Structure formats: structure tokens, C-alpha cells
Amino acid sequence: MENKGKFYLTTAIAYASRKPHIGNIYEIIMSDAIARFKRQQGYDVFFCTGTDEHGQKIENLANEKGITPKAYVDEVAGQIKGLWDLMDISYDHFIRTTDDYHEKVVAKMFRRFYEQGDIYKNEYEGWYCVPCESFFTETQLKEGKCPDCGRDVTKTKEEAYFFKMSKYADALIKHIEETPGFIEPESRKKEMLNNFLYAGLQDLCVSRTSFKWGIPVDFDDKHVIYVWLDALTNYITALGYDIDGKSEKYNKYWPADVHIIGKDIVRFHTIYWPIFLMALGEPLPKKIFGHPWLLFGNDKMSKSKGNVMYADELSELFGVDGVRHYVLSEMPYAQDGNITYENLIKRFNTDLANNLGNLVSRTLAMTAKYFEGVIPAPTCPGEFDDELKAAAAKAIDDHFKNMESYHIADAVEDVFTLLRRANKYIDETTPWTLAKSEENRERLGTVLYNLLETIRIAAILLVPFMPKTAEKIFAGLGTEVTDYESAKTFGGLVSGVKTGEAQVLFARIDEAKFIADMEAKQAEAEKAAKAKERPEDVEELIDFDAFTAVEMRSAQIIAAEPIKKAKKLLKLQVDLGYEQRQVVSGIAKYYKPEELIGKKIILVANLKPVTLCGVESNGMILASGEEEVRVVFLDDATPLGERIR
């Protein structure tokens, strides 16, 4: 394969505060699809991802758990890396901002910026959003809350170092205006220019003194380096960049061909990051692509809203490739996508079970049935063949253009348009009818060859999206002709080769049963969560003397009978060893009298007598629950009259 040069791709590094939900994971799956596509083209790809591990929020979360921040991020970073591996992400490097090499270089950068006059010390006073690790002015707030995430902000005043953004603003504006495709989609570019740059760029706070979990400023140990200067520089430290010298890897791969990021952090990547690079005298990335969000229905996913889905849990239900396919198919180029279980099932059944899985299964089954599993030669062209071949050529061309421009959902649709055309080709040629006559055998062989070849081409185009499924299809076809260039020529399959057995790639999901099972699981989870909640009837704390004032003793039920006109009550005779008593208890609904005789129970023995439904009660037996009452029974060996403490 021809080497087309290098291609350096990055994702935003995931914040190591919590396990990422499916909305967070769209970005890594999209980036993986691009990386795999570029490798198919013959590019030397370096795909970098990782975790952002410093900041006040992480320090707070670690304190809540009673562990060190490093222990906290080690656990979460492990979860994130595990999720990336589960989702079949083909990254080349996983950086953590707690890596020694990264921390050392960031400290050097800070010192250099300070020494060349880009950083100065002052006092910051303004509004701070802990989850976003961002400062805002009064005018930037939306209804008094963070303009990015909508959460509460806190008034903050502290000594800090600031970066002179204004020093580089004009140069950045010129670069953005004169570099087509530097910021995409185009709407993000206009937003950055109009809302931030043209309006006048404020200097950026780049250190903090109110917490300690960060990279220390080596010449002023009261300060730690603020998260954005720390986090953004991972894109070059991961390549071995150092103030004291650049690595061979850095010289090979930088500048980045594309930074894939969420639309909520476009400002940091298209304004602050390029300015940091300008101050270092380094080239700017070629492209920064701000993708939209994956919403739950029409809402942003949030634990507080109870609408969070996780990739590992979805993978158990739909398979890894099923999840990859859905998120890549449902995210438009510039508008937010959405995810619901109903939509997941619909797309799974339509695209994967029907259009793809059924096509592959029945084509291989017919090849096995009519040609003993051997790929026939296409010796008898006929009606509809050229249309199928044209559809394959168009799919390849459209797929390439859409992948190059990051219209990923459109590129996925190109493949499934071809698969639908192949299914239509089956209906048009009716191979089962051709099989009835020996004189149509050559035509039947040609039809099946065309179908098998179309499936091969589709599988090549599916590699970036569903790599494991593509591997299964290639194995089923018995082919090793799977390179991207071969897809451009219809006829890559070799006749006479034995195919593999037909298998079910994706089993159709019964939507009604699936939703019912999900609702049952959710109800169980809610019940379990409710059981862990503090009950509403919890009493105020009492001292030890109050507790010891309650006299509880072991006793045995020696007689039990219902009370007339009181369906809930039973009249019990209990033996304390030193005396016998009569007790009335509201357990008639849950226990038959004969079930209780001989049982040993706990009796509150020093209650004042009361009369219930005309029957005197001298004590109370211990039981739990309201909707379902359960009496506390003692071991048969417990002596009567023993004090319970």
C-alpha cells in the first residue's frame, strides 16, 4: 500500500472525575472511525487520546471519598481506558496529565511564558464554575449560572497569574480568517470570531491558589497551573515535545491534522490553544472540528435528570458494533443527535438485522445450497447487474468524500444505501427461481457472485465503523482482498474460493419484550436505591440512658387466636420464664395463629398496658416493615426472660 504520509489525530482528553456516559463516548468512536479510515488510505496515523486529571473538582471528589487525588484519578482513568478498549478504539497513545513527562514540560512552558512576558501576576475576582473549570464575568453568565453547563457558579477572589491573550489576538484573527477549514463546522468559526475575538479578548487566568491538586508553578509554590494550560498542551507533550528540545516523533507528526472536540470546548481549542502555540513559536493545528452533542431524547445527559446511558451497559444489550453503528449513524454533521432505547432498537433491527445481517446470511446460505459454498464465476451478465455495480461505485465515491469532510453519519448511510440496493437486487433477480432450472445455472452463479462482491465492498467501507463485524464478513466470504483500493474495482472476489458458513451477525430484537425487561430492571434498580435511602420515619438521636430505659426481653408465644371484629389483630399469650402475659399484635394479616405457637420473640416488657378493641395488651413484640410485616424471631436456644441489649 502506498504511504501517503502522516496523519495526527487527537480527541479532547476525558476529564477523570466520573465514568463517561454514551454522550461523552461519541467523540472517541468518531475519532476512531476517522483514524481507521485514514489507515485504510495508506496514511501513517498517530491517534492520541487520554485523561485530564488535575483541578479543583477532582480534589473535592477525592476529599469526599477520603482518598488522595492521585488514587482517585488512577481509578477513574483506569475505567476510561477500559471503556476505550471495550469499544474497540485503536488509539496509539493514551496520555494522562499526571504523567511525569507531561507535568515537567508544562512547568517549563509556564516558566518560559513568564520569562518572555506573556504571563503576569494579578488578582482575580469573578465567577467560577467548578465542573467546567472555567471563570466567567458577570455579563457572560446566563441567568446567573454557567453559560456552558447551566450549573451554579461561585464568587471567587484570589491571587493568580494571567496570560496576555490580547498580545496574540490580531494574529489569531488573521489566521482564522485566512485559513479555510481551520475551524469546522463553519458555524463554530463564526461564533468564535463574533462572540469572543472581534469583541476583544480578555486575558486568561492560568494559575490558582485556592487548591493544591495541579502542577506547581516552580518559581511560586503557592500557585498550581490552571487546568486549560495544563490540559491543552497534552497534544504536543504526547509526541515528546520539550522546551529543551523536540523529539523525532514531534517533528514527524506535528502539526495535528485534526483535533476532534465537543462543541462546548471549541473556545478553549480555537482561541487559547493556538495562542499558547504562537507564544511557543510552534505551528498551529491544521483543523479543529467541534462536533455536536448526543442527547437523550431532547435533553443533555445528566445524572441528576436520571437519563444517563453508559456504553458498557449498552454493549451488553446491542453489542459493541451495534453501539458504534448507532452513535455514528445518529449524529448529524453540525446538529445535535439523540439516543433512546426505542430508536436504538429500530435502527438495530432495520440496519443491522435486516439490511446487513439478513443479506449476508441468505447470500452465503444460497451459495452453500446451490454451489456447495464455492464462489461461482460471473460468466453470465444480465439485467440489473450494471445498476448494482453503479450503486457500488457511487457508494465508494460518496463514502470517501463524506469521510474526508467528517460527515460521518452520511458516510455510514452511503454503505447502507448500497446494502439496500443489494437486497433489492435479490428481489429483482430471484435466485431461488433461477435455481429451479439447470439452464439458468450460469446466470444464478453470476447473481450470487455480484451479491458476494457487493457485500465485500460494503464490508471494506464498514471497517471504520464496525471493525469486528467487517472481519466476520470477510471470514464468511473467505477472502483476503480487503484493502480500500480493491473496493474501487468491482470483481475483487476470486471465483472457486470456498466461503465460510452463514452465521447470524445481528439477531432481531423483540422491542416489546426488550422495553418490558428494561422497565422491570429499572423498577428493581429504583427499589434497591430506595431501600438505601434514609427512611422518612427515622427518629432523632437518643442518648444511652434513653435506650437502656427500654426493657426488651426474650419470650415464647404459647397461645395465639384472632380477635373478633379486628381483622388485623391477634391475641397472644407469651411466656417470659418468670411470668406470662397477654399481648395484642397487628400481625394477623401476615401470620396464622398456629404458625406462631412455640416461636421465641423479643418483647418490649416495660410498656404501660393499653386496651385494643376491648382486649388488654401488656407489651409489644418487635417486628419490621409496614407494607409487609416481619416478626423478629429468636434462636430456639435463647433462654426465656433474657434481657436484650
Side-chain angles (χ1 to χ4, degrees):
M1 186 185 298
E2 178 189 355
N3 188 330
K4 294 185 178 179
K6 69 91 181 176
F7 189 85
Y8 181 35
L9 165 78
T10 75
T11 69
I13 50 178
Y15 196 45
S17 59
R18 302 282 192 207
K19 174 183 173 181
H21 57 63
I22 189 65
N24 304 134
I25 288 180
Y26 165 74
E27 180 176 303
I28 193 73
I29 297 174
M30 174 192 178
S31 300
D32 182 65
I34 295 169
R36 290 178 182 273
F37 170 73
K38 284 296 180 180
R39 292 190 192 104
Q40 281 186 305
Q41 313 310 303
Y43 285 91
D44 176 5
V45 173
F46 192 80
F47 175 17
C48 185
T49 186
T51 43
D52 174 10
E53 302 185 9
H54 292 123
Q56 184 176 354
K57 183 177 180 180
I58 286 173
E59 184 175 272
N60 293 345
L61 290 168
N63 288 339
E64 288 173 11
K65 289 191 72 173
I67 59 176
T68 66
K70 185 61 167 65
Y72 185 91
V73 295
D74 283 348
E75 179 181 345
V76 178
Q79 285 184 329
I80 292 170
K81 196 170 186 292
L83 277 172
W84 279 201
D85 294 338
L86 170 68
M87 298 312 296
D88 210 5
I89 307 303
S90 60
Y91 57 85
D92 297 290
H93 186 70
F94 190 98
I95 187 172
R96 297 178 58 184
T97 57
T98 53
D99 290 335
D100 288 345
Y101 67 89
H102 173 81
E103 291 188 336
K104 289 174 183 176
V105 175
V106 171
K108 289 180 185 179
M109 286 183 192
F110 196 96
R111 176 180 282 273
R112 175 171 166 179
F113 291 152
Y114 180 75
E115 291 175 348
Q116 68 189 28
D118 290 322
I119 286 177
Y120 63 94
K121 186 189 287 188
N122 204 333
E123 189 176 73
Y124 178 82
E125 183 172 5
W127 296 97
Y128 184 66
C129 176
V130 173
C132 293
E133 300 278 5
S134 300
F135 290 101
F136 299 98
T137 63
E138 188 77 40
T139 56
Q140 289 175 322
L141 300 180
K142 290 184 178 179
E143 298 180 355
K145 296 185 182 294
C146 173
D148 289 340
C149 71
R151 295 183 177 91
D152 291 333
V153 291
T154 55
K155 191 76 169 179
T156 302
K157 183 177 182 180
E158 63 183 274
E159 182 182 88
Y161 284 95
F162 290 81
F163 194 104
K164 294 179 182 177
M165 291 281 130
S166 54
K167 178 179 176 181
Y168 299 92
D170 289 343
L172 178 58
I173 291 171
K174 186 174 186 293
H175 181 82
I176 293 173
E177 290 177 337
E178 296 179 358
T179 309
F182 177 62
I183 304 174
E184 289 187 351
E186 183 72 14
S187 59
R188 316 268 190 252
K189 170 183 172 180
K190 292 178 180 177
E191 179 186 356
M192 293 303 108
L193 287 170
N194 295 330
N195 293 0
F196 298 100
L197 288 165
Y198 291 156
L201 201 55
Q202 295 183 339
D203 291 347
L204 178 69
C205 176
V206 289
S207 80
R208 300 291 303 278
T209 56
S210 57
F211 61 91
K212 292 297 182 183
W213 182 238
I215 301 171
V217 174
D218 60 9
F219 55 85
D220 192 344
D221 60 9
K222 288 193 306 180
H223 292 255
V224 294
I225 297 169
Y226 181 48
V227 66
W228 286 107
L229 179 55
D230 169 11
L232 291 165
T233 51
N234 90 89
Y235 303 128
I236 55 177
T237 61
L239 296 175
Y241 174 88
D242 197 327
I243 292 292
D244 300 328
K246 302 166 189 174
S247 70
E248 183 180 335
K249 185 180 289 184
Y250 177 81
N251 289 331
K252 178 181 181 180
Y253 288 107
W254 191 259
D257 291 87
V258 62
H259 292 315
I260 303 293
I261 59 168
K263 66 178 183 178
D264 52 326
I265 53 173
V266 169
R267 171 164 55 103
F268 307 104
H269 284 77
T270 61
I271 297 177
Y272 305 150
W273 176 225
I275 285 177
F276 294 154
L277 289 167
M278 287 178 177
L280 290 170
E282 298 300 321
L284 304 192
K286 296 178 182 179
K287 186 186 298 296
I288 299 159
F289 185 85
H291 64 76
W293 285 336
L294 185 65
L295 306 177
F296 182 86
N298 294 314
D299 293 329
K300 188 176 180 182
M301 289 189 198
S302 166
K303 284 189 176 181
S304 63
K305 293 180 180 178
N307 61 0
V308 176
M309 294 180 175
Y310 293 101
D312 51 347
E313 296 171 1
L314 290 174
S315 295
E316 291 179 5
L317 301 171
F318 299 95
V320 169
D321 278 0
V323 175
R324 286 176 63 107
H325 172 66
Y326 183 87
V327 298
L328 293 174
S329 301
E330 287 290 329
M331 185 71 84
Y333 175 72
Q335 303 299 318
D336 293 335
N338 72 80
I339 183 169
T340 64
Y341 284 111
E342 290 81 2
N343 288 346
L344 266 162
I345 295 167
K346 182 177 180 181
R347 186 169 283 280
F348 184 96
N349 285 341
T350 301
D351 284 356
L352 303 185
N354 291 354
N355 290 330
L356 174 59
N358 191 39
L359 172 67
V360 173
S361 178
R362 63 176 175 164
T363 301
L364 288 175
M366 287 189 289
T367 303
K369 181 177 181 180
Y370 303 135
F371 291 91
E372 298 181 340
V374 176
I375 298 175
T379 56
C380 186
E383 191 179 6
F384 308 115
D385 294 3
D386 289 343
E387 292 179 31
L388 181 63
K389 293 175 183 178
K394 186 176 188 306
I396 296 162
D397 187 50
D398 291 348
H399 173 271
F400 179 85
K401 291 175 182 175
N402 283 322
M403 288 299 293
E404 285 289 298
S405 62
Y406 305 140
H407 287 73
I408 308 299
D410 294 327
V412 176
E413 178 59 22
D414 294 330
V415 186
F416 282 85
T417 297
L418 175 59
L419 293 170
R420 285 191 290 272
R421 185 63 190 83
N423 278 301
K424 183 180 178 183
Y425 179 76
I426 292 178
D427 294 337
E428 292 168 335
T429 56
T430 60
W432 51 87
T433 302
L434 295 173
K436 294 178 180 179
S437 173
E438 185 63 29
E439 65 183 31
N440 292 326
R441 185 168 178 78
E442 284 190 55
R443 178 57 185 156
L444 173 62
T446 301
V447 167
L448 289 178
Y449 180 90
N450 290 341
L451 285 168
L452 292 167
E453 174 65 355
T454 302
I455 290 169
R456 182 188 73 88
I457 291 169
I460 291 171
L461 302 186
L462 284 173
V463 166
F465 316 132
M466 297 190 290
K468 287 291 189 293
T469 299
E471 287 178 12
K472 291 178 182 178
I473 294 173
F474 293 141
L477 295 174
T479 184
E480 295 180 357
V481 188
T482 61
D483 62 288
Y484 194 84
E485 284 300 312
S486 73
K488 297 178 181 179
T489 303
F490 199 97
L493 273 181
V494 180
S495 300
V497 171
K498 183 79 172 178
T499 62
E501 292 184 8
Q503 59 177 302
V504 178
L505 293 176
F506 299 97
R508 187 175 178 82
I509 295 172
D510 183 329
E511 181 175 352
K513 183 178 183 303
F514 182 95
I515 297 299
D517 289 345
M518 285 298 300
E519 289 175 348
K521 288 180 182 178
Q522 185 175 358
E524 281 295 317
E526 289 175 355
K527 184 178 179 180
K530 188 175 181 181
K532 293 179 181 179
E533 293 177 359
R534 182 180 173 86
E536 294 180 359
D537 59 352
V538 171
E539 303 291 348
E540 295 296 325
L541 296 176
I542 62 173
D543 59 26
F544 186 72
D545 290 341
F547 170 71
T548 57
V550 179
E551 182 186 348
M552 293 181 290
R553 293 189 180 275
S554 57
Q556 186 175 35
I557 299 173
I558 57 176
E561 62 180 284
I563 296 176
K564 294 180 180 179
K565 298 182 180 179
K567 295 181 179 179
K568 296 181 179 180
L569 302 179
L570 288 180
K571 182 171 67 174
L572 310 175
Q573 302 296 325
V574 300
D575 185 3
L576 286 155
Y578 57 86
E579 68 179 41
Q580 294 182 1
R581 294 190 187 184
Q582 178 175 284
V583 176
V584 176
S585 180
I587 58 173
K589 181 179 177 182
Y590 309 99
Y591 296 94
K592 295 178 181 178
E594 59 269 22
E595 294 175 341
L596 296 170
I597 296 173
K599 296 287 187 181
K600 290 186 177 179
I601 47 89
I602 298 174
L603 180 74
V604 179
N606 62 338
L607 283 179
K608 293 180 179 180
V610 295
T611 300
L612 300 172
C613 292
V615 180
E616 185 178 65
S617 179
N618 292 281
M620 180 175 68
I621 67 172
L622 292 192
S624 67
E626 292 183 3
E627 295 181 2
E628 184 176 350
V629 174
R630 291 169 289 276
V631 173
V632 179
F633 294 116
L634 294 174
D635 189 279
D636 288 342
T638 306
L640 298 181
E642 192 169 67
R643 187 77 181 261
I644 308 296
R645 298 183 186 275

